[in-house]
């Protein structure tokens, strides 16, 4: 019960922080000029940012006098100024945005996102790898949980329910899994994911930067509209499609690894292990495909920087899952033996 209260408290804390975040993009899809986080003094064309939906009325009138071809000077964004907007902006969004800016200053905005994502994922993994390992095991032991569920499928008496709970608990103990711990790590990663989301829209390097000659502030839907014309924007389309593919791969990989192990060890999948007969597996798959479809729909109108970030994150997650499965889990099995 204490674990449940901890999770509920953490969820409320995160949601409270996210609710305090200001929307960085205007209705035109461009980042508001007063939301840009810069690490150094920069000048960008007025046409690249939103100047009509900012909070400072004096600046709004001043920018209104400028032409789209005129440039706007943006001063370095301090930690204190960002923290005054909300604690989430100051403690999470600002550091990530500045990290992207620093890495991008060495190369370009795309590489900046890649390096920032790698560093953040590695730091998170270093602190939560045990919980992530348990989460991956949770997905891989679904066949064993299915066997127990089907064993007591038509039994509703108290004794059968107690036996089912005991057998399920033995499976968790066998693989050293703490169910609430696997849920907790998801909510620990949520603020980081949301911080990266806001940072990719507010980092100055992304707002005016590019990757392989492609503007990261463009949207996939604009690229799809170019199909059939003389100048098709293949870059955003390819990144967007790769993002969807890698999202599915990262979610399905634990199940594929389990099937690989079963085949390698000569384990035959019995009838009761089929996903069609497993409500839990069916629900997980439905949730996975629904989440992917929702992300694909939303990201059509979001800057390609977000698709690029999500693609890189999915690649990193997949590599970590392979590392956990073939290295960490094997080491634990050897110790147990």
């Amino acid at each position: 019960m204490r674990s449940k209260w901890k999770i509920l408290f953490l969820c409320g804390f995160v949601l409270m922080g996210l609710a305090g975040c200001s929307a960085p993009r205007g209705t035109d899809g461009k980042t508001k000029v007063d939301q840009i986080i810069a690490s150094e003094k920069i000048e960008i064309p007025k046409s690249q940012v939103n100047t009509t939906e900012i909070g400072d009325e004096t600046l709004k009138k001043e920018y209104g006098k400028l032409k789209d071809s005129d440039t706007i000077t943006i001063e370095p964004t301090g930690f204190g100024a960002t923290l005054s907007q909300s604690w989430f902006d100051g403690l999470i969004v600002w550091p990530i945005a500045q990290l992207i800016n620093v890495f991008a200053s060495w190369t370009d905005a795309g590489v900046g996102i890649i390096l920032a994502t790698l560093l953040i994922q590695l730091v998170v993994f270093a602190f939560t790898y045990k919980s992530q390992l348990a989460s991956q095991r949770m997905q891989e032991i679904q066949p064993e949980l299915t066997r127990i569920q089907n064993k007591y499928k038509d039994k509703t008496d108290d004794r059968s329910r107690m036996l089912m709970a005991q057998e399920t608990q033995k499976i968790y103990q066998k693989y050293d899994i703490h169910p609430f711990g696997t849920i907790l790590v998801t909510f620990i990663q949520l603020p980081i994911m949301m911080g990266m989301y806001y940072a990719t829209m507010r980092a100055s390097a992304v707002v005016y930067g590019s990757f392989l000659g492609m503007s990261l502030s463009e949207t996939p839907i604009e690229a799809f509209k170019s199909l059939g014309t003389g100048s098709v924007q293949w870059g955003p389309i390819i990144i967007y499609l790769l993002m969807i593919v890698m999202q599915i791969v990262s979610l399905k990989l634990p199940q594929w690894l389990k099937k690989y192990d079963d085949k390698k060890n000569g384990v035959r999948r019995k009838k009761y292990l089929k996903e069609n007969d497993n409500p839990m597996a069916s629900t997980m798959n439905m949730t996975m495909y629904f989440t992917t479809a929702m992300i694909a729909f939303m990201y059509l109108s979001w800057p390609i920087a977000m698709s690029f970030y999500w693609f890189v994150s999915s690649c990193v997650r997949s590599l970590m899952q392979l590392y956990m499965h073939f290295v960490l889990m094997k080491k634990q099995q050897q110790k147990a033996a």
Side-chain angles (χ1 to χ4, degrees):
M1 193 66 186
R2 289 182 180 179
S3 298
K4 292 182 180 179
W5 279 112
K6 287 179 181 179
I7 293 171
L8 290 173
F9 174 77
L10 184 58
C11 289
F13 185 67
V14 171
L15 290 174
M16 182 178 66
L18 296 179
C21 297
S22 52
R25 296 168 62 232
T27 53
D28 57 359
K30 299 176 182 178
T31 303
K32 298 175 185 178
V33 68
D34 62 345
Q35 292 292 312
I36 295 175
I37 297 176
S39 58
E40 58 185 1
K41 186 176 181 179
I42 59 172
E43 292 185 351
I44 58 176
K46 178 189 173 184
S47 59
Q48 283 190 278
V49 294
N50 179 292
T51 59
T52 59
E53 299 176 44
I54 60 178
D56 193 322
E57 293 297 328
T58 302
L59 280 178
K60 187 186 296 185
K61 291 179 181 178
E62 182 180 332
Y63 292 145
K65 299 175 183 178
L66 300 176
K67 299 177 182 178
D68 286 344
S69 58
D70 291 338
T71 59
I72 294 177
T73 301
I74 298 177
E75 300 292 336
T77 309
F79 170 74
T82 311
L83 184 62
S84 64
Q85 297 176 1
S86 77
W87 70 265
F88 186 82
D89 285 339
L91 299 179
I92 298 180
V93 179
W94 184 85
I96 296 176
Q98 295 291 31
L99 196 61
I100 294 174
N101 288 334
V102 171
F103 285 141
S105 66
W106 302 344
T107 52
D108 60 26
V111 177
I113 292 176
I114 293 174
L115 294 177
T117 303
L118 283 172
L119 180 60
I120 291 170
Q121 291 287 351
L122 288 173
V123 170
V124 172
F125 179 75
F127 286 98
T128 64
Y129 76 93
K130 289 185 178 179
S131 297
Q132 291 190 49
L133 190 60
S135 180
Q136 181 159 332
R137 279 206 211 95
M138 191 75 173
Q139 296 182 60
E140 295 184 3
I141 66 169
Q142 285 308 313
E144 296 186 52
L145 296 178
T146 301
R147 175 183 60 79
I148 296 173
Q149 290 169 355
N150 287 341
K151 180 179 178 181
Y152 297 96
K153 185 176 182 181
D154 299 319
K155 300 178 181 179
T156 57
D157 58 285
D158 292 340
R159 183 174 182 278
S160 296
R161 289 180 179 178
M162 182 182 68
L163 290 173
M164 178 179 173
Q166 289 177 349
E167 290 186 31
T168 301
Q169 187 60 35
K170 286 181 180 178
I171 295 295
Y172 290 150
Q173 291 176 350
K174 175 183 176 182
Y175 292 97
D176 192 24
I177 295 175
H178 304 281
F180 289 114
T182 62
I183 297 174
L184 187 61
V185 71
T186 301
F187 291 106
I188 290 175
Q189 291 177 325
L190 180 61
I192 303 297
M193 183 185 71
M194 293 304 299
M196 192 71 180
Y197 161 70
Y198 284 107
T200 54
M201 289 192 290
R202 297 182 62 179
S204 59
V206 178
V207 174
Y208 69 84
S210 62
F211 177 62
L212 298 176
M214 173 182 58
S215 174
L216 293 173
S217 61
E218 295 180 5
T219 61
I221 196 169
E222 292 174 349
F224 280 111
K225 288 179 180 178
S226 70
L227 291 172
T229 64
S231 56
V232 180
Q233 301 176 32
W234 289 111
I237 293 175
I238 292 173
I239 289 178
Y240 175 77
L241 295 177
L242 286 175
M243 179 268 293
I244 297 174
V245 171
M246 284 308 303
Q247 169 71 2
I248 295 175
V249 168
S250 67
L251 292 172
K252 294 285 289 184
L253 190 57
Q255 298 175 30
W256 294 341
L257 291 172
K258 176 60 177 176
K259 290 180 180 178
Y260 168 80
D261 280 349
D262 288 347
K263 185 177 180 180
K264 182 180 178 181
N265 298 325
V267 177
R268 294 182 179 180
R269 291 181 61 81
K270 299 180 181 180
K271 184 179 180 180
Y272 61 73
L273 296 181
K274 292 182 179 179
E275 290 184 354
N276 293 335
D277 299 327
N278 183 359
M280 184 179 292
S282 298
T283 301
M284 288 177 63
N285 284 332
M286 185 173 66
T287 302
M288 177 191 69
Y289 290 124
F290 175 77
T291 302
T292 303
M294 183 176 66
I295 291 173
F297 176 75
M298 290 191 303
Y299 280 29
L300 275 171
S301 57
W302 287 3
I304 198 65
M306 273 308 296
S307 296
F308 189 63
Y309 155 68
W310 205 257
F311 165 66
V312 175
S313 295
S314 297
C315 290
V316 174
R317 284 198 302 272
S318 297
L319 291 173
M320 287 181 175
Q321 286 171 353
L322 291 171
Y323 173 72
M324 286 189 290
H325 183 85
F326 290 106
V327 179
L328 295 184
M329 291 180 71
K330 298 301 180 185
K331 285 183 178 179
Q332 288 193 355
Q333 291 173 1
Q334 290 174 359
K335 288 182 179 179

